[in-house]
Amino acid sequence: LQSDIISTVEFNYSGELLATGDKGGRVVIFQHEQESKNRPHLRGEYNVYSTFQSHEPEFDYLKSLEIEEKINKIRWLPQQNAAHFLLSTNDKTIKLWKISERDKRAEGYNLKDEDGRLRDPFRITSLRVPVLMPMDLMVEASPRRIFANAHTYHINSISVNSDHETYLSADDLRINLWHLEITDRSFNIVDIKPANMEELTEVITAAECHPHQCNVFVYSSSKGTIRLCDMRAAALCDRHSKFFEEPEDPSSRSFFSEIISSISDVKFSHSGRYMMTRDYLSVKVWDLNMENRPVETYQVHEYLRSKLCSLYENDCIFDKFECCWNGSDSAIMTGSYNNFFRMFDRNTRRDITLEASRESSKPRATLKPRKVSTGGKRKKDEISVDSLDFNKKILHTAWHPKDNVIAVAATNNLYIFQDKIN
């Protein structure tokens, strides 16, 4: 089913909950199972906790455009009380959802019978105090706020600020700053729309708030550059504070250089000192104090450089891969084709290719590293570039904030892997 294709994956701040959004506008939340003494091997089990329809398909009658219900991004808010809150967005509308548990219900009303029918007020001769009775656990999702009508173009990012009361949303040309309590207005903090749309040369591809400094955010562009902005400097952040760009190597220039340099994702490290960007062929780690080049570059699937022509023809070259950090910022992960995903250890510089597939992920089976042969003689365990399946792509991954537990979305399947304990 097309509607089952997973379009975003996100752990909450504790890692206890994992949310996925799909093309059909649904949000499915998984909860980490508490370990039991008699079944210690099940420590990584996540079971469905709540499922709800977040967005419905809509139609913009003025522009004669269909607005699809697909969930583009989910972002959790830090937990303040027993309930959980998350923001989910499609192309146009952001919603704040409250997910709460009910395991008691009130019984013994004065004005209505047990079956819910209203009683005749003249027959009520005594008052009784309603009591709370236990009932089966219910998990309820209710929309608390709807933030609409602020984006002319498609929303590609939402990011909760470290002050926990504002968040930003970005579309192709503008970034807006919202207060979580106020739905009828937002502040436009970046606007790169040219006066004449024919002069348009770049679009915003992703944006994120700094994890500790609530006045700092970054946004990436289709030209492969990243701008860091400081909201203390000006209300409209069209003039950036820092501009990160790697000079292009003239020897590797090709027809596809501009397309593959477009950044599909940007993520601050948990420490706030680094940020990571993903372009079509690589992942780069930047030190926020050094703008002229990244401090680390990791090749994700360099063997595709010779295949760019056919990837352009089948539109895969425009795929938007995301990337994520582990909890201690020592490792990073991003997806590739053929249901492969890549992990890079920043300390040892070792990297590994793993596969998320039904065959390779029987419960408690160990994942075997995969290798792609790049021409010449193919070794026994290697897969040739020509036999890779470009319809099986891993665009969305998430890493548990504390443990080595990862979530990998392969089309309409969600895989959860954990490091092995002997």
Side-chain angles (χ1 to χ4, degrees), residues 356-370:
S357 67
R358 297 238 165 133
E359 295 74 55
S360 69
S361 55
K362 304 210 164 42
R364 288 177 289 294
T366 305
L367 289 181
K368 293 185 186 64
R370 302 288 186 206

Side-chain angles (χ1 to χ4, degrees), residues 226 244 246 269 271 273-279 281-288 290 292-300 323-326 328-333 343-351:
I226 309 102
F244 299 84
E246 184 169 32
S269 63
S271 68
R273 170 152 182 205
Y274 300 99
M275 66 178 171
M276 162 169 55
T277 59
R278 172 76 154 93
D279 56 45
L281 294 177
S282 66
V283 173
K284 294 171 182 170
V285 174
W286 304 76
D287 188 319
L288 293 190
M290 188 165 91
N292 58 348
R293 65 174 192 274
V295 287
E296 298 157 30
T297 301
Y298 301 95
Q299 302 305 332
V300 177
C323 51
C324 62
W325 300 84
N326 72 342
S328 61
D329 298 335
S330 62
I332 55 186
M333 168 170 62
M343 297 167 108
F344 303 95
D345 185 314
R346 296 179 59 212
N347 302 323
T348 62
R349 293 303 175 109
R350 292 219 311 259
D351 65 284

Side-chain angles (χ1 to χ4, degrees), residues 27-45:
V27 172
V28 180
I29 299 174
F30 299 87
Q31 184 182 41
H32 184 242
E33 286 301 308
Q34 296 307 318
E35 293 166 42
S36 60
K37 288 273 191 298
N38 48 359
R39 296 196 300 172
H41 58 269
L42 289 181
R43 68 180 181 98
E45 292 258 319

Side-chain angles (χ1 to χ4, degrees), residues 153-192:
Y153 307 98
H154 290 349
I155 298 172
N156 56 45
S157 307
I158 48 177
S159 178
V160 179
N161 208 341
S162 59
D163 60 14
H164 300 163
E165 58 179 35
T166 58
Y167 73 92
L168 60 80
S169 59
D171 67 23
D172 301 324
L173 297 177
R174 300 192 180 102
I175 301 176
N176 293 334
L177 181 71
W178 300 83
H179 193 287
L180 282 161
E181 300 290 326
I182 301 168
T183 56
D184 58 354
R185 63 179 180 272
S186 61
F187 291 102
N188 177 232
I189 51 176
V190 172
D191 186 348
I192 64 165

Side-chain angles (χ1 to χ4, degrees), residues 339-386:
N339 279 351
F340 288 172
F341 59 97
R342 303 270 283 140
M343 297 167 108
F344 303 95
D345 185 314
R346 296 179 59 212
N347 302 323
T348 62
R349 293 303 175 109
R350 292 219 311 259
D351 65 284
I352 191 168
T353 303
L354 298 169
E355 183 183 357
S357 67
R358 297 238 165 133
E359 295 74 55
S360 69
S361 55
K362 304 210 164 42
R364 288 177 289 294
T366 305
L367 289 181
K368 293 185 186 64
R370 302 288 186 206
K371 282 215 164 39
V372 176
S373 74
T374 50
K377 267 194 80 174
R378 186 165 67 88
K379 298 197 183 78
K380 185 167 72 83
D381 291 338
E382 291 185 338
I383 299 132
S384 93
V385 180
D386 297 319

Side-chain angles (χ1 to χ4, degrees), residues 137-149:
L137 177 69
M138 261 174 63
V139 180
E140 297 179 314
S142 54
R144 305 302 297 204
R145 305 269 184 279
I146 294 177
F147 306 89
N149 306 324

